[in-house]
Structures are given as structure tokens and as C-alpha cells.
Amino acid sequence: MKLIIDDAHIEQIKELYEYYPVDGVTTNPTILAKSGRNPYEVLHEIRDFIGADAELHVQVIARTATGMIADAHRIVKELGDNTYVKIPSIQEGFKAMRILKNEGISITATAIYTPLQAFLAAKSGASYAAPYINRIDNMGYDGVEIARHIHDIFKNNNFKAEVLAASFKNSQQLLELAEYGIGASTASPDVIFALVKNEAITSAINQFISDFEGLVGNGKTMADC
């Protein structure tokens, strides 16, 4: 499972890239709005840091297929061919996906709440389908289970599309999807940082260090012996 950062704050992206094996960055209009800056200025900053080969996912804003296609052309022109254009999984979106797929543009189908949306998106040429795990939970359904259903639909129908699970509230949801082998998950920095934030882990490491220092002296490590 790919692990992708769902954020547009460059300092947090840099910190996560320094310590974690992440595979790219996803953004959405709300994330970009929170930056308070020109969206392309922010996106160019991210692209320059992660490099041309890393995945960057950027969402269209237009409501019509014609407008979505125009947005997609501008996004790819600005940010490069390895940019996945996020298209909402609605009627106008499916039309735009099919046209953009024929043009060779990579598509991430977004705003997915049901397996049937994902099925139609995959048939329309999407490379990824992004179910909103926590938002589905908040509607009274099981977001993780929906993502699993979508994964199974893709495999059983020999689609090349993968699940890109989004909107997480905790690391347990990520774990369950990793166990199932879905294609990718995108999570906020807070969720990713929390993956190994555990008092038991910290306590064990501190005990090991304390025992070793008792043997060789305070501040000593294996490099000093």
C-alpha cells in the first residue's frame, strides 16, 4: 500500500519525507484554501520539493465536464505529466474522465461514497478511486468496508484502477486497509505522525538506552565502545 500525504504545508511535507517512506502528496480545494496563498504557488512549491517522478494529486473546481477538462489541462501544464487530476465522481465528472483518459492524463476519481461510483469511475478510465473513509463512517456506514468492496470490484473486473483511501480519523483504519492490500491511502500529517506514537515503544527504547549507559557510561552509544 502506498502512503501519501494529504496536506499542502511544505514544512510538514518536508518533515514527513525526511522520516517516513511516503509516496507523494494529495491536495484538495479545502487544503489549498487553508494555506491562504495562490494555489499554483503552493503546488509548485510542493512539486519542486517532491520531484517530477513523485505523485501529486490536484483537484478540479469546475462543475461541468468542459470546465473540468480545462482545469485539468492547466493543472498538468503547470505541474507536469505525473500529476493526477482529481475529478469528482458525478455525471459531468465521468464524461470528463473518459475524455481526459483518451488524452493520456492520469485521473483520481474523488468524492466517492459508494462502490458504484468507484465502478463507474474505473470504467471511465480513472487510475485511482478515493473513498472518504471517515465521512462514510459519519453517515452511518463502514468506510473501511466500503473501501474493501471497491478493491474487490476492481480486482474481480480486471480494472487497472486502485483504491486511494482518504479522510482518516485514526491509524487503525489505515492498518485495516494495509492488511487488506489496497493500493494506496492518503492521510493527514497528524495521522501519519501518530502511526508510531506509542508510550510502550518510547518506554522500551528508554529502558534499553538506560541499561546500556549503565554498562558503558552516560551518553555512550555503540559508536563509542
Side-chain angles (χ1 to χ4, degrees), residues 112-116 118-119 129 131 133 136 141-157 159 163 177 180 182:
I112 287 179
Y113 289 83
T114 72
L116 280 176
F119 170 75
I133 306 303
I136 294 170
Y141 301 97
D142 187 333
V144 168
E145 189 63 24
I146 294 292
R148 289 171 175 163
H149 284 323
I150 294 170
H151 175 86
D152 290 343
I153 287 169
F154 289 172
K155 300 310 174 187
N156 292 338
N157 287 276
F159 290 140
V163 173
L177 292 175
Y180 206 70
I182 71 159

Side-chain angles (χ1 to χ4, degrees), residues 132-144 169 173:
Y132 292 166
I133 306 303
N134 194 45
R135 295 189 189 186
I136 294 170
D137 282 357
N138 290 339
M139 293 172 63
Y141 301 97
D142 187 333
V144 168
K169 64 181 177 182
Q173 293 169 317

Side-chain angles (χ1 to χ4, degrees), residues 56-72:
L56 177 61
H57 300 248
V58 181
Q59 188 164 330
V60 302
I61 303 300
R63 294 181 182 273
T64 66
T66 300
M68 291 175 191
I69 292 165
D71 278 2

Side-chain angles (χ1 to χ4, degrees), residues 25-67:
V25 175
T26 62
T27 63
N28 63 44
T30 301
I31 286 173
L32 291 174
K34 288 178 180 177
S35 74
R37 299 163 56 197
N38 178 278
Y40 283 113
E41 178 183 336
V42 174
L43 292 165
H44 275 294
E45 192 174 55
I46 295 169
R47 172 56 82 198
D48 289 344
F49 173 71
I50 67 176
D53 294 332
E55 291 187 14
L56 177 61
H57 300 248
V58 181
Q59 188 164 330
V60 302
I61 303 300
R63 294 181 182 273
T64 66
T66 300

Side-chain angles (χ1 to χ4, degrees), residues 171-210:
S171 57
Q172 179 62 30
Q173 293 169 317
L174 269 175
L175 172 62
E176 291 176 19
L177 292 175
E179 289 175 337
Y180 206 70
I182 71 159
S185 288
T186 183
S188 68
D190 287 346
V191 171
I192 297 174
F193 284 131
L195 295 179
V196 292
K197 192 176 291 184
N198 186 302
E199 288 298 325
I201 297 171
T202 302
S203 176
I205 293 169
N206 289 339
Q207 186 63 56
F208 289 143
I209 293 172
S210 177

